[in-house]
Amino acid sequence: MEELRTTDPSRIGGHRLLGRLGAGGMGVVYLGRTDEGALAAVKVILPEHAGDADFRVRFRREAEAARRVDNPWAVRVTASGTEDEQPWLATAFVPGPTLSETVARCGPLPARSVRVLGRLLARALASVHAAGLVHRDVKPGNVLLAADGPRLIDFGVARITDATALTAADLVVGTPGFLAPEQAGGGAAAVGPAGDVFSLGCLLAYAATGRPPFGSGAVDALLYRTVHGAPDLDGIDDTGLRALLEALLAKDPAARPTAAETDERITEDAPDGSIEWLPENVVRLIADRTAAPLALPGIDATVVDDPEPRAPAPARRKLLLLGGAGALAAVGGGAFAVGEWLRRDDAAGTGGSTTRTWTIGVQADLSGPRGADGRAQERGVRLAVDRFNSRTDKPFALKVTALDDRGEAAGAVRVAERFTRDHDVLAVVGPTDDPATGAVLEAYDEAMLPLVTVSSLQAAFPVRSMRSFFQAAPSDVALAYPIRDRLVLRPDVRRLGVLVDRAGGQQAYLTGYYLNRIVVDTTDGTTYPRVVPVGTRDLAPVVADLLAHRSDAFFHAGDPAGAARAARTLAATSYGGPRMAMHTAMGPRFLKDAGDAAEGWEFVSPCIGTTAPAAREFAAAHRKKYGEAPARWAAEAYDAAGLVLAALTALGRPDRPPARSALVAKIAASSYRGVSRDYAFDESHRLKGQAAHVHTVRGGAFHYLGPAPTSGH
């Protein structure tokens, strides 16, 4: 919970406000307490929506309907002020973890727990549907587990479609992975009670297996599998539960049972007020969360007037939900810095003697569409290995073997086979892009050969086990956070215009989608998003629409040609606010096509600039060896090799190569200070933190501005 701000009210409709619980595109949610002492979640609508007459009508109608929902397993609406200057709605406050947090921390639920949970939530949905409402976002994050049973939350409030979707035709209302095929096809008009039932099936499958039934990863692929693919119910051995889930997940809405029929179909039940049907570790988690409100201040602790002057707020827009990003710390296997393994890096010759030369592999696109990136990465790795071999006290010698996969899945598989069969290869840096990486993960995982990528940025890959894979760069989703911080967390920006050009493929689509969501979900700013189809040449009408909706910051998600068109179009208007494009557009094509219009555009990139203080020594060494400044991704590949070499050195055993699995464990348990960023990995072997960089166009060239802001998620 965040403290109240000086601009927040102290009371709303008989509720004394204690703090902020969160915010979204529609309003701010406060924790309130009535004069009788009851806690409530109070949602207050933003002024821009409160002034919309149509919105007020919908809000009034749906708030009235929500108050008719009478079920112990649906969070209860306790009060509302639909006619107030800023409409508000209060629901009972339910302390307890979400189902998503519970499964993440405690693991999948046993079959009996899933059946009881399904029956209680089906009863909640039946009440919602009987009140004339459709939830439209049944997911694990909207189910709270309280000390007396589950609660379905976040229903019955009028929604602003463009606050959760880019356009009605191009995206969906709901959460991919937990929505019905009719939702995945786009357009909220097709969503009815049967859609909620399908989402309930997805939620229960997740509770039983720990994974969404249609996988994860790129949104386009996820939606396609939802519409056309069979659900993944592997691991559910209980035949009754499996049959129930198959019925709920029928593609045809008419073939699914209703919520009431689902309730009748499940025979197991739990007495009111009992959670004995949940595993013991879940019960303990619920007990811990239930005790948290006991630490809240008493009723008299929140006053209308603040007797003490508060410190002035920073001169930038604030986050509403903070957390996650902390200082990088050494864990488990120790921390490393570049200098620790590059000591005496200017010494000539190899020095010393070794009995064995081991290999660091580079799997890269050296001759395909990303050949320049792959060659830059090969150079970075070779430079790191050369400098390591120049040490007089090195415990072993190394060589580099680079293999070209041409950026093709078939070529990537062949390269992976060669590397995994060669027992002198201790680790591999690469591949260069997402398709090649997705094609080889299983091969590297089976061999437990460490694979470290710096330029495959997909947020999730459709492979269940990735024990040996390390994503040593912020994913497309992680990059959305520093983009948000740079564009929205500033005093002169209220609304971010997001233009998604489908010519940029899934990477552009995913970046635009998540940027839109996190701005709405985690700041008090708003967005106005637009999607244009592949082949759109004239962006003037779209840009005019973005500006007409008071967009005072602009982000383009697409390819370099589209970004250049957007730059030229925007330059022809009076717009003078911040403007940014994806890092994939940051190249000579953008500069050439945009011309003078490129001036002032910014880019948040995983790559450091060669003029950065941290990169100067590396850049000088690169010029000395290769006769030119390093290209993008060279420093990051240099760091990836350094990370591996530091872990190898820490393992010792110069007489023989360490087991690949031991090297995987060492990399996973260590932190490392590189040229581009600090490196440490979470339990999924993804890079911790945002760790990005900001560049701008100045005088017709790209200039490095510095590390991207890191306010946290």
Side-chain angles (χ1 to χ4, degrees), residues 386-403:
D386 285 353
R387 300 188 77 182
F388 178 85
N389 284 338
S390 72
R391 285 177 51 174
T392 58
D393 62 342
K394 63 182 180 298
F396 46 79
L398 288 164
K399 69 174 184 178
V400 176
T401 297
L403 298 179

Side-chain angles (χ1 to χ4, degrees), residues 180-182 184-185 198 214 220-231 251:
E182 55 267 30
F198 188 96
F214 297 98
D220 281 359
L222 179 55
L223 298 182
Y224 182 88
R225 291 194 296 271
T226 300
V227 175
H228 301 287
K251 302 295 186 189

Side-chain angles (χ1 to χ4, degrees), residues 581-601:
M582 288 178 60
H583 68 93
T584 51
M586 188 181 152
R589 174 73 183 272
F590 175 76
L591 296 178
K592 177 183 177 182
D593 290 356
D596 293 341
E599 198 73 10
W601 276 71

Side-chain angles (χ1 to χ4, degrees), residues 226-251:
T226 300
V227 175
H228 301 287
D232 175 11
L233 302 178
D234 289 353
I236 301 178
D237 299 325
D238 187 290
T239 55
L241 177 59
R242 191 181 185 98
L244 171 67
L245 295 180
E246 289 172 346
L248 299 179
L249 296 173
K251 302 295 186 189

Side-chain angles (χ1 to χ4, degrees), residues 526-554:
T526 59
T527 64
Y528 185 73
R530 287 291 305 270
V531 177
V532 298
V534 177
T536 302
R537 306 288 301 180
D538 183 9
L539 295 180
V542 180
V543 170
D545 184 46
L546 287 164
L547 299 182
H549 282 81
R550 304 188 306 280
S551 298
D552 38 28
F554 184 91

Side-chain angles (χ1 to χ4, degrees), residues 344-431:
R344 304 179 184 89
D345 55 18
D346 294 326
T350 59
S353 62
T354 61
T355 59
R356 194 76 177 266
T357 299
W358 304 334
T359 300
I360 299 294
V362 177
Q363 173 167 352
D365 177 0
L366 301 176
S367 61
R370 292 191 63 179
D373 293 340
R375 292 189 295 273
Q377 292 181 29
E378 179 189 357
R379 284 184 168 188
V381 174
R382 290 191 182 278
L383 182 59
V385 170
D386 285 353
R387 300 188 77 182
F388 178 85
N389 284 338
S390 72
R391 285 177 51 174
T392 58
D393 62 342
K394 63 182 180 298
F396 46 79
L398 288 164
K399 69 174 184 178
V400 176
T401 297
L403 298 179
D404 183 9
D405 62 20
R406 300 186 297 278
E408 301 171 349
V413 171
R414 288 192 293 269
V415 168
E417 289 175 350
R418 287 185 57 182
F419 277 142
T420 55
R421 291 174 182 173
D422 186 345
H423 293 289
D424 285 340
V425 177
L426 299 186
V428 175
V429 175

